[in-house]
Amino acid sequence: MSDTTFRLATAQLPVTGDARANSARVKAVMREAAAQGARMVHFPEGMLSGYAKNPIQDWSEVDWPAVAEELESVVALAGELRVWVVLGSAHPLTAPRRPHNSLYVISDEGRLVTRYDKRVCSATEVTRFYTPGHAPIVFEVDGLRFGCVICIEINFPALFMEYDRLGVDVLLLSAYPVDSIFFVKARSHAAIHNVWVSLSAPSDTDALFRSALIDPRGEVVATVPGVEGVVVSVLDRSAPELDIPLTKARPWRAGVQDDPRYDTAGLTDPRSTDRTGI
């Protein structure tokens, strides 16, 4: 592979309320993806701890020491396999605060380097289950800039615009979707902002759509082959079909707002100002 390529694994797995069982699946997929040369493995929302409100109905059901132990084991395995991991899980806060709904970012050196906390929680989430986060996170691997988004945040374009301004190349979108239009929205954001979107959802939502990688044209280029599994995709910044979205469309779109040619508010031509003329 050239230095313009990156191998990204997108997982689709069952998400249960048993952190030990969830972790076992995570680690099996990490090994499978690493064997295929993946540099990063991306998992669904709530993958380690379980997601509220399905299957978690109350946080008292969660074995938090087991979640912590299994997270440590995933971190250690990432270092052993030399792969990056982005793993969904609830992140406990100090009682009586509710947890964050998070994505742990784990480096190929076996370190937890940062965490994204879902900023826009659903009405049910913010009322009963989660404490919202407040900031984007951006991290770099092999010259690519990654950002994280979780589920219902897909409905808030300002978050995607913010990541665009931050120069993100790839968005890692972990979700527990409730409708099939979610997939169309993900493709739209990829095409509008000319970024790759890795969309990782649980096996439970397979009837809606299959987890996949979407390229900067908004095209689906790789899909998880079964209800449960992983797909390893090659992100190639020099691919001919991506020349327009990456080297032309994206920089042009970024500059339109400050381009004086588009500032016609002071135009005094009567042929322009008269909106009833023919």
Side-chain angles (χ1 to χ4, degrees):
M1 291 276 175
S2 73
D3 60 5
T4 65
T5 62
F6 186 93
R7 296 183 73 90
L8 173 62
T10 305
Q12 177 171 300
L13 296 171
V15 177
T16 75
D18 183 342
R20 305 285 190 197
N22 293 340
S23 177
R25 291 189 176 97
V26 165
K27 288 182 281 192
V29 162
M30 288 170 61
R31 292 187 176 95
E32 180 181 348
Q36 296 181 49
R39 286 287 288 134
M40 180 182 294
V41 194
H42 173 213
F43 291 97
E45 180 179 20
M47 180 71 236
L48 182 61
S49 61
Y51 172 70
K53 56 190 183 321
N54 180 26
I56 303 300
Q57 296 296 312
D58 188 276
W59 291 121
S60 63
E61 301 169 16
V62 176
D63 184 345
W64 291 111
V67 172
E69 289 175 14
E70 294 302 331
L71 177 58
E72 289 178 356
S73 71
V74 170
V75 170
L77 183 61
E80 178 184 327
L81 297 174
R82 306 297 294 178
V83 296
W84 285 73
V85 175
V86 178
L87 177 63
S89 182
H91 176 76
L93 302 183
T94 305
R97 293 187 181 90
R98 302 184 185 100
H100 285 317
N101 184 345
S102 302
L103 292 174
Y104 291 116
V105 178
I106 303 162
S107 79
D108 60 352
E109 297 177 342
R111 294 187 301 111
L112 178 56
V113 294
T114 190
R115 189 189 70 245
Y116 177 68
D117 303 321
K118 188 175 184 179
R119 292 179 278 173
V120 183
C121 296
S122 72
T124 299
E125 287 178 327
V126 78
T127 301
R128 294 178 50 196
F129 292 107
Y130 294 106
T131 298
H134 60 86
I137 63 122
V138 177
F139 61 99
E140 190 167 316
V141 184
D142 298 350
L144 283 172
R145 289 171 65 81
F146 292 83
C148 296
V149 192
I150 300 178
C151 203
I152 203 169
E153 293 183 326
I154 201 167
N155 296 306
F156 295 85
L159 302 185
F160 291 81
M161 294 167 67
E162 179 181 39
Y163 275 124
D164 191 8
R165 291 192 297 271
L166 292 170
V168 163
D169 302 297
V170 187
L171 282 173
L172 303 168
L173 173 56
S174 295
Y176 207 114
V178 297
D179 54 41
S180 59
I181 200 67
F182 191 100
F183 196 79
V184 178
K185 294 174 185 178
R187 292 187 63 184
S188 298
H189 284 302
I192 290 167
H193 298 292
N194 302 128
V195 294
W196 282 276
V197 173
S198 175
L199 174 51
S200 177
S203 299
D204 291 3
T205 63
D206 184 74
L208 300 176
F209 58 80
R210 188 69 52 84
S211 300
L213 180 77
I214 304 164
D215 78 7
R217 301 169 298 173
E219 298 292 342
V220 180
V221 292
T223 305
V224 173
V227 174
E228 179 177 343
V230 64
V231 63
V232 178
S233 314
V234 177
L235 284 60
D236 187 354
R237 287 162 282 182
S238 65
E241 66 272 18
L242 299 181
D243 179 57
I244 289 177
L246 293 183
T247 70
K248 297 178 177 64
R250 186 171 185 181
W252 171 74
R253 292 173 186 176
V256 164
Q257 188 171 356
D258 298 319
D259 189 330
R261 294 175 297 175
Y262 296 97
D263 183 9
T264 58
L267 189 64
T268 57
D269 187 331
R271 297 290 300 168
S272 174
T273 56
D274 181 0
R275 299 185 185 277
T276 63
I278 297 174

PDB file of all heavy atoms in Angstrom, residues 27-59:
ATOM      1  N   LYS A  27     -12.901  -8.137  20.999  1.00  0.00           N
ATOM      2  CA  LYS A  27     -11.519  -8.605  20.861  1.00  0.00           C
ATOM      3  C   LYS A  27     -11.367  -9.596  19.714  1.00  0.00           C
ATOM      4  O   LYS A  27     -10.340  -9.600  19.019  1.00  0.00           O
ATOM      5  CB  LYS A  27     -11.041  -9.185  22.191  1.00  0.00           C
ATOM      6  CG  LYS A  27     -10.802  -8.091  23.233  1.00  0.00           C
ATOM      7  CD  LYS A  27     -10.275  -8.619  24.543  1.00  0.00           C
ATOM      8  CE  LYS A  27     -11.374  -9.211  25.399  1.00  0.00           C
ATOM      9  NZ  LYS A  27     -10.935  -9.473  26.789  1.00  0.00           N
ATOM     10  N   ALA A  28     -12.400 -10.407  19.466  1.00  0.00           N
ATOM     11  CA  ALA A  28     -12.345 -11.325  18.324  1.00  0.00           C
ATOM     12  C   ALA A  28     -12.291 -10.549  17.009  1.00  0.00           C
ATOM     13  O   ALA A  28     -11.530 -10.892  16.096  1.00  0.00           O
ATOM     14  CB  ALA A  28     -13.559 -12.256  18.349  1.00  0.00           C
ATOM     15  N   VAL A  29     -13.082  -9.483  16.911  1.00  0.00           N
ATOM     16  CA  VAL A  29     -13.082  -8.663  15.696  1.00  0.00           C
ATOM     17  C   VAL A  29     -11.769  -7.901  15.565  1.00  0.00           C
ATOM     18  O   VAL A  29     -11.253  -7.737  14.447  1.00  0.00           O
ATOM     19  CB  VAL A  29     -14.295  -7.708  15.704  1.00  0.00           C
ATOM     20  CG1 VAL A  29     -14.103  -6.569  14.720  1.00  0.00           C
ATOM     21  CG2 VAL A  29     -15.567  -8.482  15.360  1.00  0.00           C
ATOM     22  N   MET A  30     -11.225  -7.423  16.660  1.00  0.00           N
ATOM     23  CA  MET A  30      -9.923  -6.763  16.599  1.00  0.00           C
ATOM     24  C   MET A  30      -8.874  -7.692  16.005  1.00  0.00           C
ATOM     25  O   MET A  30      -8.080  -7.278  15.147  1.00  0.00           O
ATOM     26  CB  MET A  30      -9.493  -6.311  17.995  1.00  0.00           C
ATOM     27  CG  MET A  30     -10.266  -5.128  18.548  1.00  0.00           C
ATOM     28  SD  MET A  30      -9.910  -4.817  20.315  1.00  0.00           S
ATOM     29  CE  MET A  30      -8.137  -4.482  20.273  1.00  0.00           C
ATOM     30  N   ARG A  31      -8.860  -8.931  16.443  1.00  0.00           N
ATOM     31  CA  ARG A  31      -7.883  -9.899  15.914  1.00  0.00           C
ATOM     32  C   ARG A  31      -8.120 -10.164  14.424  1.00  0.00           C
ATOM     33  O   ARG A  31      -7.182 -10.225  13.625  1.00  0.00           O
ATOM     34  CB  ARG A  31      -7.950 -11.194  16.719  1.00  0.00           C
ATOM     35  CG  ARG A  31      -7.448 -11.050  18.150  1.00  0.00           C
ATOM     36  CD  ARG A  31      -7.386 -12.404  18.856  1.00  0.00           C
ATOM     37  NE  ARG A  31      -6.826 -12.280  20.191  1.00  0.00           N
ATOM     38  CZ  ARG A  31      -7.563 -12.143  21.296  1.00  0.00           C
ATOM     39  NH1 ARG A  31      -8.894 -12.143  21.214  1.00  0.00           N
ATOM     40  NH2 ARG A  31      -6.978 -12.019  22.479  1.00  0.00           N
ATOM     41  N   GLU A  32      -9.401 -10.309  14.059  1.00  0.00           N
ATOM     42  CA  GLU A  32      -9.730 -10.552  12.658  1.00  0.00           C
ATOM     43  C   GLU A  32      -9.315  -9.374  11.783  1.00  0.00           C
ATOM     44  O   GLU A  32      -8.730  -9.551  10.709  1.00  0.00           O
ATOM     45  CB  GLU A  32     -11.233 -10.807  12.520  1.00  0.00           C
ATOM     46  CG  GLU A  32     -11.694 -11.077  11.100  1.00  0.00           C
ATOM     47  CD  GLU A  32     -13.194 -11.302  10.999  1.00  0.00           C
ATOM     48  OE1 GLU A  32     -13.855 -11.480  12.045  1.00  0.00           O
ATOM     49  OE2 GLU A  32     -13.713 -11.288   9.863  1.00  0.00           O
ATOM     50  N   ALA A  33      -9.619  -8.165  12.235  1.00  0.00           N
ATOM     51  CA  ALA A  33      -9.285  -6.972  11.456  1.00  0.00           C
ATOM     52  C   ALA A  33      -7.777  -6.776  11.357  1.00  0.00           C
ATOM     53  O   ALA A  33      -7.255  -6.427  10.292  1.00  0.00           O
ATOM     54  CB  ALA A  33      -9.938  -5.746  12.088  1.00  0.00           C
ATOM     55  N   ALA A  34      -7.072  -6.996  12.465  1.00  0.00           N
ATOM     56  CA  ALA A  34      -5.611  -6.852  12.451  1.00  0.00           C
ATOM     57  C   ALA A  34      -4.979  -7.845  11.482  1.00  0.00           C
ATOM     58  O   ALA A  34      -4.006  -7.516  10.788  1.00  0.00           O
ATOM     59  CB  ALA A  34      -5.054  -7.035  13.853  1.00  0.00           C
ATOM     60  N   ALA A  35      -5.534  -9.051  11.419  1.00  0.00           N
ATOM     61  CA  ALA A  35      -5.008 -10.067  10.505  1.00  0.00           C
ATOM     62  C   ALA A  35      -5.175  -9.637   9.048  1.00  0.00           C
ATOM     63  O   ALA A  35      -4.429 -10.090   8.169  1.00  0.00           O
ATOM     64  CB  ALA A  35      -5.706 -11.399  10.746  1.00  0.00           C
ATOM     65  N   GLN A  36      -6.155  -8.750   8.796  1.00  0.00           N
ATOM     66  CA  GLN A  36      -6.377  -8.233   7.446  1.00  0.00           C
ATOM     67  C   GLN A  36      -5.643  -6.920   7.204  1.00  0.00           C
ATOM     68  O   GLN A  36      -5.855  -6.261   6.202  1.00  0.00           O
ATOM     69  CB  GLN A  36      -7.877  -8.041   7.201  1.00  0.00           C
ATOM     70  CG  GLN A  36      -8.689  -9.317   7.227  1.00  0.00           C
ATOM     71  CD  GLN A  36     -10.151  -9.054   6.948  1.00  0.00           C
ATOM     72  OE1 GLN A  36     -10.517  -8.370   5.989  1.00  0.00           O
ATOM     73  NE2 GLN A  36     -11.024  -9.594   7.782  1.00  0.00           N
ATOM     74  N   GLY A  37      -4.810  -6.529   8.148  1.00  0.00           N
ATOM     75  CA  GLY A  37      -3.994  -5.334   7.967  1.00  0.00           C
ATOM     76  C   GLY A  37      -4.648  -4.032   8.365  1.00  0.00           C
ATOM     77  O   GLY A  37      -4.154  -2.949   7.992  1.00  0.00           O
ATOM     78  N   ALA A  38      -5.738  -4.093   9.117  1.00  0.00           N
ATOM     79  CA  ALA A  38      -6.420  -2.860   9.522  1.00  0.00           C
ATOM     80  C   ALA A  38      -5.542  -2.035  10.454  1.00  0.00           C
ATOM     81  O   ALA A  38      -4.861  -2.573  11.330  1.00  0.00           O
ATOM     82  CB  ALA A  38      -7.742  -3.190  10.206  1.00  0.00           C
ATOM     83  N   ARG A  39      -5.593  -0.711  10.297  1.00  0.00           N
ATOM     84  CA  ARG A  39      -4.909   0.201  11.210  1.00  0.00           C
ATOM     85  C   ARG A  39      -5.830   0.674  12.317  1.00  0.00           C
ATOM     86  O   ARG A  39      -5.390   1.145  13.357  1.00  0.00           O
ATOM     87  CB  ARG A  39      -4.388   1.423  10.431  1.00  0.00           C
ATOM     88  CG  ARG A  39      -3.181   1.140   9.588  1.00  0.00           C
ATOM     89  CD  ARG A  39      -1.943   0.957  10.438  1.00  0.00           C
ATOM     90  NE  ARG A  39      -1.487   2.222  11.017  1.00  0.00           N
ATOM     91  CZ  ARG A  39      -1.135   2.384  12.299  1.00  0.00           C
ATOM     92  NH1 ARG A  39      -1.226   1.384  13.159  1.00  0.00           N
ATOM     93  NH2 ARG A  39      -0.707   3.559  12.733  1.00  0.00           N
ATOM     94  N   MET A  40      -7.146   0.572  12.084  1.00  0.00           N
ATOM     95  CA  MET A  40      -8.135   1.043  13.054  1.00  0.00           C
ATOM     96  C   MET A  40      -9.371   0.168  12.954  1.00  0.00           C
ATOM     97  O   MET A  40      -9.744  -0.278  11.866  1.00  0.00           O
ATOM     98  CB  MET A  40      -8.500   2.504  12.786  1.00  0.00           C
ATOM     99  CG  MET A  40      -9.523   3.097  13.756  1.00  0.00           C
ATOM    100  SD  MET A  40      -9.946   4.817  13.310  1.00  0.00           S
ATOM    101  CE  MET A  40      -8.375   5.632  13.612  1.00  0.00           C
ATOM    102  N   VAL A  41     -10.006  -0.067  14.118  1.00  0.00           N
ATOM    103  CA  VAL A  41     -11.256  -0.812  14.167  1.00  0.00           C
ATOM    104  C   VAL A  41     -12.299   0.059  14.857  1.00  0.00           C
ATOM    105  O   VAL A  41     -12.064   0.567  15.960  1.00  0.00           O
ATOM    106  CB  VAL A  41     -11.105  -2.154  14.919  1.00  0.00           C
ATOM    107  CG1 VAL A  41     -12.319  -3.045  14.651  1.00  0.00           C
ATOM    108  CG2 VAL A  41      -9.824  -2.873  14.528  1.00  0.00           C
ATOM    109  N   HIS A  42     -13.460   0.191  14.226  1.00  0.00           N
ATOM    110  CA  HIS A  42     -14.514   1.093  14.682  1.00  0.00           C
ATOM    111  C   HIS A  42     -15.752   0.282  15.078  1.00  0.00           C
ATOM    112  O   HIS A  42     -16.229  -0.543  14.301  1.00  0.00           O
ATOM    113  CB  HIS A  42     -14.835   2.076  13.547  1.00  0.00           C
ATOM    114  CG  HIS A  42     -16.001   2.961  13.801  1.00  0.00           C
ATOM    115  ND1 HIS A  42     -16.844   3.391  12.803  1.00  0.00           N
ATOM    116  CD2 HIS A  42     -16.488   3.505  14.951  1.00  0.00           C
ATOM    117  CE1 HIS A  42     -17.781   4.157  13.307  1.00  0.00           C
ATOM    118  NE2 HIS A  42     -17.592   4.240  14.606  1.00  0.00           N
ATOM    119  N   PHE A  43     -16.272   0.554  16.287  1.00  0.00           N
ATOM    120  CA  PHE A  43     -17.376  -0.232  16.844  1.00  0.00           C
ATOM    121  C   PHE A  43     -18.624   0.622  17.086  1.00  0.00           C
ATOM    122  O   PHE A  43     -18.554   1.845  17.156  1.00  0.00           O
ATOM    123  CB  PHE A  43     -16.935  -0.873  18.167  1.00  0.00           C
ATOM    124  CG  PHE A  43     -15.908  -1.948  17.996  1.00  0.00           C
ATOM    125  CD1 PHE A  43     -14.552  -1.667  18.168  1.00  0.00           C
ATOM    126  CD2 PHE A  43     -16.282  -3.240  17.655  1.00  0.00           C
ATOM    127  CE1 PHE A  43     -13.594  -2.657  18.016  1.00  0.00           C
ATOM    128  CE2 PHE A  43     -15.331  -4.233  17.486  1.00  0.00           C
ATOM    129  CZ  PHE A  43     -13.986  -3.948  17.664  1.00  0.00           C
ATOM    130  N   PRO A  44     -19.790  -0.046  17.278  1.00  0.00           N
ATOM    131  CA  PRO A  44     -21.060   0.675  17.453  1.00  0.00           C
ATOM    132  C   PRO A  44     -21.179   1.427  18.782  1.00  0.00           C
ATOM    133  O   PRO A  44     -20.391   1.240  19.720  1.00  0.00           O
ATOM    134  CB  PRO A  44     -22.108  -0.446  17.387  1.00  0.00           C
ATOM    135  CG  PRO A  44     -21.446  -1.601  16.735  1.00  0.00           C
ATOM    136  CD  PRO A  44     -19.989  -1.492  17.117  1.00  0.00           C
ATOM    137  N   GLU A  45     -22.214   2.238  18.842  1.00  0.00           N
ATOM    138  CA  GLU A  45     -22.603   2.958  20.054  1.00  0.00           C
ATOM    139  C   GLU A  45     -22.912   1.964  21.179  1.00  0.00           C
ATOM    140  O   GLU A  45     -23.586   0.954  20.977  1.00  0.00           O
ATOM    141  CB  GLU A  45     -23.847   3.795  19.751  1.00  0.00           C
ATOM    142  CG  GLU A  45     -24.372   4.601  20.908  1.00  0.00           C
ATOM    143  CD  GLU A  45     -25.603   5.425  20.530  1.00  0.00           C
ATOM    144  OE1 GLU A  45     -26.270   5.097  19.514  1.00  0.00           O
ATOM    145  OE2 GLU A  45     -25.902   6.402  21.250  1.00  0.00           O
ATOM    146  N   GLY A  46     -22.394   2.254  22.371  1.00  0.00           N
ATOM    147  CA  GLY A  46     -22.700   1.431  23.541  1.00  0.00           C
ATOM    148  C   GLY A  46     -22.158   0.020  23.491  1.00  0.00           C
ATOM    149  O   GLY A  46     -22.593  -0.844  24.271  1.00  0.00           O
ATOM    150  N   MET A  47     -21.172  -0.243  22.647  1.00  0.00           N
ATOM    151  CA  MET A  47     -20.732  -1.610  22.378  1.00  0.00           C
ATOM    152  C   MET A  47     -20.238  -2.341  23.621  1.00  0.00           C
ATOM    153  O   MET A  47     -20.565  -3.506  23.840  1.00  0.00           O
ATOM    154  CB  MET A  47     -19.611  -1.586  21.322  1.00  0.00           C
ATOM    155  CG  MET A  47     -19.048  -2.947  20.939  1.00  0.00           C
ATOM    156  SD  MET A  47     -20.159  -3.950  19.974  1.00  0.00           S
ATOM    157  CE  MET A  47     -20.239  -5.439  20.981  1.00  0.00           C
ATOM    158  N   LEU A  48     -19.465  -1.694  24.458  1.00  0.00           N
ATOM    159  CA  LEU A  48     -18.860  -2.394  25.593  1.00  0.00           C
ATOM    160  C   LEU A  48     -19.822  -2.531  26.770  1.00  0.00           C
ATOM    161  O   LEU A  48     -20.035  -3.634  27.288  1.00  0.00           O
ATOM    162  CB  LEU A  48     -17.587  -1.681  26.034  1.00  0.00           C
ATOM    163  CG  LEU A  48     -16.823  -2.330  27.191  1.00  0.00           C
ATOM    164  CD1 LEU A  48     -16.368  -3.738  26.815  1.00  0.00           C
ATOM    165  CD2 LEU A  48     -15.638  -1.470  27.611  1.00  0.00           C
ATOM    166  N   SER A  49     -20.409  -1.452  27.186  1.00  0.00           N
ATOM    167  CA  SER A  49     -21.244  -1.451  28.398  1.00  0.00           C
ATOM    168  C   SER A  49     -22.652  -1.944  28.139  1.00  0.00           C
ATOM    169  O   SER A  49     -23.349  -2.415  29.052  1.00  0.00           O
ATOM    170  CB  SER A  49     -21.333  -0.021  28.953  1.00  0.00           C
ATOM    171  OG  SER A  49     -21.938   0.832  28.002  1.00  0.00           O
ATOM    172  N   GLY A  50     -23.106  -1.835  26.867  1.00  0.00           N
ATOM    173  CA  GLY A  50     -24.520  -1.956  26.550  1.00  0.00           C
ATOM    174  C   GLY A  50     -25.111  -0.569  26.434  1.00  0.00           C
ATOM    175  O   GLY A  50     -24.629   0.385  27.049  1.00  0.00           O
ATOM    176  N   TYR A  51     -26.130  -0.448  25.594  1.00  0.00           N
ATOM    177  CA  TYR A  51     -26.737   0.854  25.310  1.00  0.00           C
ATOM    178  C   TYR A  51     -28.070   0.978  26.041  1.00  0.00           C
ATOM    179  O   TYR A  51     -28.860   0.040  26.111  1.00  0.00           O
ATOM    180  CB  TYR A  51     -26.942   1.008  23.802  1.00  0.00           C
ATOM    181  CG  TYR A  51     -27.735   2.235  23.421  1.00  0.00           C
ATOM    182  CD1 TYR A  51     -27.184   3.505  23.578  1.00  0.00           C
ATOM    183  CD2 TYR A  51     -29.026   2.126  22.923  1.00  0.00           C
ATOM    184  CE1 TYR A  51     -27.911   4.643  23.244  1.00  0.00           C
ATOM    185  CE2 TYR A  51     -29.755   3.258  22.578  1.00  0.00           C
ATOM    186  CZ  TYR A  51     -29.201   4.507  22.741  1.00  0.00           C
ATOM    187  OH  TYR A  51     -29.918   5.619  22.419  1.00  0.00           O
ATOM    188  N   ALA A  52     -28.338   2.175  26.567  1.00  0.00           N
ATOM    189  CA  ALA A  52     -29.626   2.448  27.200  1.00  0.00           C
ATOM    190  C   ALA A  52     -30.524   3.161  26.174  1.00  0.00           C
ATOM    191  O   ALA A  52     -30.056   4.044  25.471  1.00  0.00           O
ATOM    192  CB  ALA A  52     -29.431   3.344  28.424  1.00  0.00           C
ATOM    193  N   LYS A  53     -31.762   2.803  25.932  1.00  0.00           N
ATOM    194  CA  LYS A  53     -32.547   1.948  26.770  1.00  0.00           C
ATOM    195  C   LYS A  53     -32.715   0.533  26.244  1.00  0.00           C
ATOM    196  O   LYS A  53     -33.648  -0.184  26.655  1.00  0.00           O
ATOM    197  CB  LYS A  53     -33.907   2.581  27.004  1.00  0.00           C
ATOM    198  CG  LYS A  53     -34.684   2.902  25.719  1.00  0.00           C
ATOM    199  CD  LYS A  53     -35.912   3.752  26.047  1.00  0.00           C
ATOM    200  CE  LYS A  53     -36.799   4.065  24.861  1.00  0.00           C
ATOM    201  NZ  LYS A  53     -36.209   4.370  23.580  1.00  0.00           N
ATOM    202  N   ASN A  54     -31.921   0.125  25.330  1.00  0.00           N
ATOM    203  CA  ASN A  54     -31.962  -1.244  24.821  1.00  0.00           C
ATOM    204  C   ASN A  54     -30.527  -1.731  24.620  1.00  0.00           C
ATOM    205  O   ASN A  54     -29.832  -1.210  23.747  1.00  0.00           O
ATOM    206  CB  ASN A  54     -32.715  -1.284  23.484  1.00  0.00           C
ATOM    207  CG  ASN A  54     -32.793  -2.678  22.905  1.00  0.00           C
ATOM    208  OD1 ASN A  54     -32.731  -3.650  23.635  1.00  0.00           O
ATOM    209  ND2 ASN A  54     -32.906  -2.773  21.589  1.00  0.00           N
ATOM    210  N   PRO A  55     -30.037  -2.687  25.413  1.00  0.00           N
ATOM    211  CA  PRO A  55     -30.782  -3.536  26.357  1.00  0.00           C
ATOM    212  C   PRO A  55     -30.822  -3.011  27.800  1.00  0.00           C
ATOM    213  O   PRO A  55     -31.490  -3.583  28.631  1.00  0.00           O
ATOM    214  CB  PRO A  55     -29.998  -4.839  26.308  1.00  0.00           C
ATOM    215  CG  PRO A  55     -28.584  -4.389  26.117  1.00  0.00           C
ATOM    216  CD  PRO A  55     -28.659  -3.184  25.213  1.00  0.00           C
ATOM    217  N   ILE A  56     -30.076  -1.924  28.093  1.00  0.00           N
ATOM    218  CA  ILE A  56     -30.005  -1.441  29.472  1.00  0.00           C
ATOM    219  C   ILE A  56     -31.261  -0.636  29.804  1.00  0.00           C
ATOM    220  O   ILE A  56     -31.565   0.362  29.147  1.00  0.00           O
ATOM    221  CB  ILE A  56     -28.748  -0.564  29.683  1.00  0.00           C
ATOM    222  CG1 ILE A  56     -27.468  -1.337  29.312  1.00  0.00           C
ATOM    223  CG2 ILE A  56     -28.685  -0.067  31.119  1.00  0.00           C
ATOM    224  CD1 ILE A  56     -27.229  -2.579  30.114  1.00  0.00           C
ATOM    225  N   GLN A  57     -31.980  -1.051  30.834  1.00  0.00           N
ATOM    226  CA  GLN A  57     -33.168  -0.318  31.287  1.00  0.00           C
ATOM    227  C   GLN A  57     -32.861   0.575  32.490  1.00  0.00           C
ATOM    228  O   GLN A  57     -33.566   1.556  32.737  1.00  0.00           O
ATOM    229  CB  GLN A  57     -34.282  -1.300  31.662  1.00  0.00           C
ATOM    230  CG  GLN A  57     -34.791  -2.127  30.496  1.00  0.00           C
ATOM    231  CD  GLN A  57     -35.440  -1.274  29.423  1.00  0.00           C
ATOM    232  OE1 GLN A  57     -36.265  -0.412  29.717  1.00  0.00           O
ATOM    233  NE2 GLN A  57     -35.064  -1.493  28.170  1.00  0.00           N
ATOM    234  N   ASP A  58     -31.815   0.236  33.222  1.00  0.00           N
ATOM    235  CA  ASP A  58     -31.415   1.014  34.393  1.00  0.00           C
ATOM    236  C   ASP A  58     -29.933   0.787  34.611  1.00  0.00           C
ATOM    237  O   ASP A  58     -29.433  -0.337  34.442  1.00  0.00           O
ATOM    238  CB  ASP A  58     -32.219   0.576  35.625  1.00  0.00           C
ATOM    239  CG  ASP A  58     -31.969   1.485  36.816  1.00  0.00           C
ATOM    240  OD1 ASP A  58     -30.966   1.255  37.531  1.00  0.00           O
ATOM    241  OD2 ASP A  58     -32.750   2.431  37.030  1.00  0.00           O
ATOM    242  N   TRP A  59     -29.198   1.841  34.996  1.00  0.00           N
ATOM    243  CA  TRP A  59     -27.746   1.707  35.136  1.00  0.00           C
ATOM    244  C   TRP A  59     -27.352   0.755  36.265  1.00  0.00           C
ATOM    245  O   TRP A  59     -26.209   0.284  36.302  1.00  0.00           O
ATOM    246  CB  TRP A  59     -27.100   3.071  35.338  1.00  0.00           C
ATOM    247  CG  TRP A  59     -27.166   3.924  34.104  1.00  0.00           C
ATOM    248  CD1 TRP A  59     -27.754   5.140  33.975  1.00  0.00           C
ATOM    249  CD2 TRP A  59     -26.633   3.604  32.818  1.00  0.00           C
ATOM    250  NE1 TRP A  59     -27.624   5.605  32.691  1.00  0.00           N
ATOM    251  CE2 TRP A  59     -26.936   4.689  31.950  1.00  0.00           C
ATOM    252  CE3 TRP A  59     -25.937   2.512  32.296  1.00  0.00           C
ATOM    253  CZ2 TRP A  59     -26.562   4.699  30.614  1.00  0.00           C
ATOM    254  CZ3 TRP A  59     -25.566   2.530  30.957  1.00  0.00           C
ATOM    255  CH2 TRP A  59     -25.880   3.604  30.132  1.00  0.00           C
TER     256      TRP A  59
END
